[in-house]
Amino acid sequence: MAKQLDYHTIREIFTRFHDADPEPKGELEHVNVYTLVVAVALSAQATDAGVNKATRALFKIADTPQKMLELGEEGLTEHIKTIGLFRQKAKNVIKLSRILVDDYGGEVPNSRAALQSLPGVGRKTANVVLNMWWGMPTQAVDTHIFRVGNRTGICPGKDVVAVERAIEDQIPADFQHHAHHWLILHGRYHCKARKPMCGTCIIRDLCEFEDKNL
């Protein structure tokens, strides 16, 4: 774990992230907040690309909780069987759709507690939905953010909750909204787990990573 970077260094890092990509976007395809919830729930232990491939046809016929219930667990399973843990995920999507219909009038709630009460929706999924759909400055820490946060010193922490807190505490307020997207994309395409691309990294001179390569 790298040491925590100071405020001015972190501000410079996120200024560079912003200048390179002012409006970073999540890569999961969705058509409304309900399909966003489903897509994020399906993405656990799966790639965004794999989820997108499976949901393009699915969301054309089941883009609301009621339509998903009408499709049924077997029908849903056929659409998502290329995704890891698809059987359990299908059960969860049907269960959460039933709860949304019965308890929320078919609408997706905009509170973390309510979202986390849904089957298959954890803190990370809730934070993604709150951030991407409602614009809240929530931080969804995945493996990319955990790695980048600890490797660079931007937001080090022993677990995902500690890294989430470090993001909230250390990253300037004006960068909070897009912070997790910048960190995810940086980890996915530059600060990779096995072969980080330090030679072309825009924050190489500011990063605390001891094993930088050229």
Side-chain angles (χ1 to χ4, degrees):
M1 183 188 300
K3 69 177 183 179
Q4 174 68 59
L5 294 173
D6 63 70
Y7 174 85
H8 296 291
T9 301
I10 292 175
R11 171 163 282 284
E12 174 60 24
I13 285 172
F14 280 89
T15 297
R16 293 183 189 182
F17 284 159
H18 174 271
D19 290 346
D21 186 4
E23 292 289 333
K25 304 294 184 184
E27 296 183 324
L28 283 172
E29 297 173 7
H30 57 283
V31 297
N32 54 32
V33 65
Y34 169 71
T35 54
L36 176 59
V37 171
V38 173
V40 180
L42 293 176
S43 71
Q45 295 180 282
T47 66
D48 287 1
V51 172
N52 290 338
K53 187 175 180 180
T55 58
R56 285 184 189 123
L58 172 64
F59 291 158
K60 289 180 180 179
I61 60 173
D63 59 354
T64 69
Q66 185 59 48
K67 290 179 183 178
M68 191 68 75
L69 292 175
E70 291 168 1
L71 178 62
E73 187 176 324
E74 289 187 12
L76 172 57
T77 299
E78 280 300 306
H79 281 276
I80 66 170
K81 61 186 179 182
T82 56
I83 300 174
L85 307 175
F86 67 92
R87 294 191 188 281
Q88 184 58 50
K89 289 177 180 179
K91 292 180 186 296
N92 286 337
V93 169
I94 294 300
K95 287 179 181 176
L96 74 83
S97 299
R98 173 53 63 192
I99 292 171
L100 290 176
V101 169
D102 291 348
D103 298 347
Y104 295 97
E107 301 294 324
V108 175
N110 65 347
S111 82
R112 181 187 284 138
L115 286 167
Q116 283 189 249
S117 72
L118 299 173
V121 177
R123 186 180 183 88
K124 186 186 83 169
T125 297
N127 282 345
V128 170
V129 174
L130 293 173
N131 179 279
M132 288 183 63
W133 194 260
W134 283 291
M136 298 183 189
T138 50
Q139 309 302 334
V141 179
D142 67 353
T143 55
H144 295 300
I145 293 182
F146 188 80
R147 179 178 67 256
V148 172
N150 280 291
R151 182 184 274 176
T152 63
I154 295 172
C155 45
K158 294 181 178 180
D159 54 43
V160 293
V161 175
V163 171
E164 181 181 329
R165 293 284 180 264
I167 295 173
E168 294 171 347
D169 293 342
Q170 303 297 334
I171 295 175
D174 48 327
F175 294 122
Q176 286 281 328
H177 181 208
H178 291 311
H180 91 274
H181 278 133
W182 279 316
L183 291 170
I184 287 173
L185 295 171
H186 189 65
R188 184 174 291 165
Y189 298 110
H190 301 285
C191 196
K192 299 177 181 180
R194 295 184 180 179
K195 293 183 178 181
M197 300 167 65
C198 301
T200 57
C201 176
I202 63 173
I203 64 167
R204 184 173 184 269
D205 58 315
L206 305 174
C207 166
E208 285 290 320
F209 186 38
E210 293 182 353
D211 298 322
K212 292 175 187 173
N213 62 60
L214 298 178

